[in-house]
């Protein structure tokens, strides 16, 4: 677990207008955001190398999007983990702390990162192709790792915050075993008569539920602590009839659903061995690329509805953008057959399949009140559309999503 408190960087008080929110709203509320920034690289150490100078084109665009949205607390998905937190520090020093494209710098005094299950060799043949691949970067290695990745930490996470993070109160759930979830949606090998037997008993004794990790970060906002619950469930694709990734995605989402539902989280244990879910009445915000759309895509059993229909989660306000609506109409393909309103899409995926989806979420507990939010997806006529663009994207195939909340 790596946590670094860094010195504040002086920021001009006359900030550019928020896009598209208002400075007034930000001054009265706290802005939580999630951004799958695609700051992952193909080789261990490459992200550190890319961020060691202020000249990486993609990182500059990602930083400008963040500077224009100006979240107070931000989760970045697909940010390669390194044990010293060097990449996280360099992104602040060389990109966020420097004005990008006319935007004002943004300083985060606090950040948190921790190991990810991605790219950690399991020692098992998890894809059941008859071979155990344990050499990082070798073909098939990612499929046999605890979470898909070419090397340990690829596709990791980092959180930046303007408010203090209670490090002693942090709970991580990287090593929670899938089999220990009651009624787990374990995949079945369709070639055998036995149920839920895709993974052997030996594999289930080691198989971790989280494809990256789940973190409960207590953030001190004024006189109140808000639990920032972050994760990045695996995409429900890239598998076969057993639907092992779709089922895992469902249960990764379920972990937070049970954790925040009084009486349902007793089975959960964190990496320190502490058991139980979030205490009743504690305010929280769930954030992350959940890889699950409420109406479209390949989710298993409506996975994201475990959040959207949750009695303790306020899902009434859904961030949206005009850019997403425009993109769906211009791109057509699978988008034309979607059931959901495209204005809520947060990811620009292949037009053939699955099309654009709502994959990224910021969802507050009912103890908090949503007062605004949005998706950073400008229409093509907006000068800022240069930051999102079209494939191959200058930034990411996902869009930054934010929500402004008040107690």
């Amino acid at each position: 677990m790596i946590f670094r408190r860094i010195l504040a960087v002086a920021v001009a008080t006359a900030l550019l207008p928020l896009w598209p929110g208002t400075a007034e709203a930000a001054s009265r509320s706290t802005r939580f955001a999630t951004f799958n920034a695609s700051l992952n690289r193909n080789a261990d150490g490459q992200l550190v190398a890319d961020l060691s100078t202020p000249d990486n084109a993609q990182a500059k665009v990602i930083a400008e999007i963040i500077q224009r949205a100006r979240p107070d607390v931000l989760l970045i998905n697909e940010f390669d983990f390194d044990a010293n937190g060097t990449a996280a520090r360099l992104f602040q020093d060389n990109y966020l702390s420097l004005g990008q494209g006319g935007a004002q710098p943004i300083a985060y005094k606090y950040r948190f990162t921790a190991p990810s299950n991605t790219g950690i060799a399991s020692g098992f043949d998890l894809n059941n192709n008859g071979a155990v691949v344990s050499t990082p970067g070798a073909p098939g290695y990612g499929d046999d790792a605890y979470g898909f990745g070419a090397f340990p930490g690829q596709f990791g996470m980092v959180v930046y915050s303007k408010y203090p993070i209670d490090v002693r109160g942090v709970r991580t759930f990287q090593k929670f075993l899938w089999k220990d979830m009651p009624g787990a949606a374990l995949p079945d090998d369709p070639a055998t008569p036995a149920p839920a037997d895709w993974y052997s008993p030996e594999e289930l004794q080691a198989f971790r539920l989280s494809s990256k990790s789940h973190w409960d970060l207590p953030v001190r906002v004024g006189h109140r602590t808000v639990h920032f619950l972050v994760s990045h469930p695996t995409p429900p694709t890239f598998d076969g009839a057993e639907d092992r990734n779709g089922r895992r995605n469902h249960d990764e989402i379920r972990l937070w659903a049970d954790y925040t539902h009084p009486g349902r989280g007793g089975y959960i244990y964190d990496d320190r061995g502490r058991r139980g879910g979030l205490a009743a009445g504690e305010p929280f915000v769930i954030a992350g690329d959940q890889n699950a759309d409420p109406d479209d895509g390949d989710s298993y059993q409506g996975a994201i509805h475990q959040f959207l229909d949750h009695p303790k989660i306020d899902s009434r306000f859904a961030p949206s953008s005009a850019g997403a609506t425009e993109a769906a109409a211009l791109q057509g393909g699978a988008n034309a057959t979607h059931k959901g309103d495209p204005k809520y899409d947060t990811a620009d995926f292949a037009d053939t399949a699955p099309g654009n989806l709502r994959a990224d979420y910021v969802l507050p507990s009912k103890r908090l009140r949503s007062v605004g939010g949005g998706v950073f997806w400008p229409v093509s006529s907006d000068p800022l559309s240069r930051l999102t663009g079209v494939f191959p994207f200058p930034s990411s195939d996902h869009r930054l999503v934010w929500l402004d909340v008040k107690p």
Side-chain angles (χ1 to χ4, degrees), residues 302-389:
I304 199 61
H305 284 280
Q306 296 175 104
F307 286 167
L308 300 182
D309 302 334
H310 195 290
K312 298 298 181 181
I313 296 174
D314 185 358
S315 62
R316 291 173 297 176
F317 178 85
S320 62
S321 72
T325 301
E326 179 191 57
L330 290 175
Q331 295 167 8
N335 297 293
T337 66
H338 281 182
K339 300 175 183 178
D341 191 328
K343 72 179 182 181
Y344 300 122
D345 290 343
T346 67
D348 192 344
F349 292 147
D351 302 336
T352 51
N356 303 341
L357 298 174
R358 184 184 180 191
D360 309 85
Y361 297 81
V362 183
L363 295 166
S365 65
K366 289 184 176 178
R367 301 277 296 185
L368 302 171
R369 181 162 57 94
S370 302
V371 295
V375 179
F376 192 96
W377 198 331
V379 295
S380 57
S381 61
D382 189 319
L384 294 182
S385 68
R386 63 182 169 78
L387 300 175
T388 51

Side-chain angles (χ1 to χ4, degrees), residues 27-87:
S27 68
R28 292 184 289 106
S29 60
T30 302
R31 179 163 291 185
F32 290 87
T34 186
F35 191 9
N36 181 333
S38 298
L39 282 170
N40 58 284
R41 297 297 185 259
N42 293 325
D44 191 8
Q46 187 59 54
L47 182 61
V48 170
D50 285 353
L51 300 181
S52 64
T53 74
D55 302 322
N56 183 266
Q58 183 207 14
K60 288 169 69 72
V61 173
I62 293 296
E64 183 176 347
I65 291 171
I66 294 168
Q67 289 170 351
R68 293 192 179 277
R70 307 200 76 78
D72 298 305
V73 186
L74 168 68
L75 165 67
I76 300 181
N77 288 133
E78 296 198 1
F79 190 103
D80 293 345
F81 170 77
D82 65 271
N84 294 319
T86 303

Side-chain angles (χ1 to χ4, degrees), residues 214-216 229-231 253-260 307:
H214 285 64
W215 303 339
D216 174 354
L229 307 180
V230 302
S231 61
I253 292 171
R254 182 186 157 189
L255 186 74
W256 280 151
D258 288 350
Y259 187 75
T260 55
F307 286 167

Side-chain angles (χ1 to χ4, degrees), residues 88-297:
R89 174 181 58 80
L90 290 172
F91 186 56
Q92 174 67 73
D93 293 348
N94 290 339
Y95 292 91
L96 296 175
S97 294
L98 305 177
Q100 308 289 343
Q104 291 289 334
I106 190 165
Y108 293 100
K109 291 182 66 175
Y110 308 91
R111 58 179 176 263
F112 180 91
T113 188
S116 171
N117 283 325
T118 46
I120 296 180
S122 70
F124 294 104
D125 177 19
L126 296 181
N127 64 355
N128 287 354
N129 71 346
V132 177
V133 183
S134 298
T135 303
Y141 176 79
D143 285 334
D144 286 342
Y146 285 124
F148 185 85
F151 58 86
Q154 188 183 30
F155 306 111
M157 309 187 294
V158 63
V159 168
Y160 291 89
S161 178
K162 293 182 179 180
Y163 299 106
I165 300 172
D166 176 11
V167 174
R168 292 184 179 180
V170 166
R171 300 181 71 187
T172 64
F173 302 87
Q174 180 195 9
K175 298 178 181 179
F176 177 85
L177 299 181
W178 193 357
K179 72 175 182 64
D180 291 337
M181 174 177 278
L186 297 172
D188 176 62
D189 186 347
T192 71
D197 65 339
W198 178 264
Y199 299 116
S200 70
E202 294 77 18
E203 289 169 343
L204 288 176
Q205 288 296 325
F207 196 98
R208 301 170 181 181
L209 171 62
S210 185
S211 55
K212 287 80 178 177
S213 190
H214 285 64
W215 303 339
D216 174 354
L217 307 184
V219 179
R220 188 68 177 172
V221 182
H223 298 294
R224 167 172 285 200
T225 294
V226 177
H227 292 262
F228 197 40
L229 307 180
V230 302
S231 61
H232 183 191
T234 192
T237 54
F238 311 114
D239 51 20
E242 83 289 344
D243 198 17
R244 66 185 189 276
N245 290 332
R247 289 167 174 266
R248 187 181 192 182
N249 171 275
H250 176 280
D251 282 359
E252 287 194 71
I253 292 171
R254 182 186 157 189
L255 186 74
W256 280 151
D258 288 350
Y259 187 75
T260 55
H261 195 301
R264 292 190 182 176
Y267 68 90
I268 299 173
Y269 53 85
D270 61 29
D271 293 331
R272 296 179 182 175
R274 177 186 167 194
R275 289 187 171 270
L278 193 64
E282 289 290 316
F284 61 86
V285 173
I286 295 174
D289 173 6
Q290 304 297 333
N291 273 311
D293 185 285
D295 302 298
D296 303 295

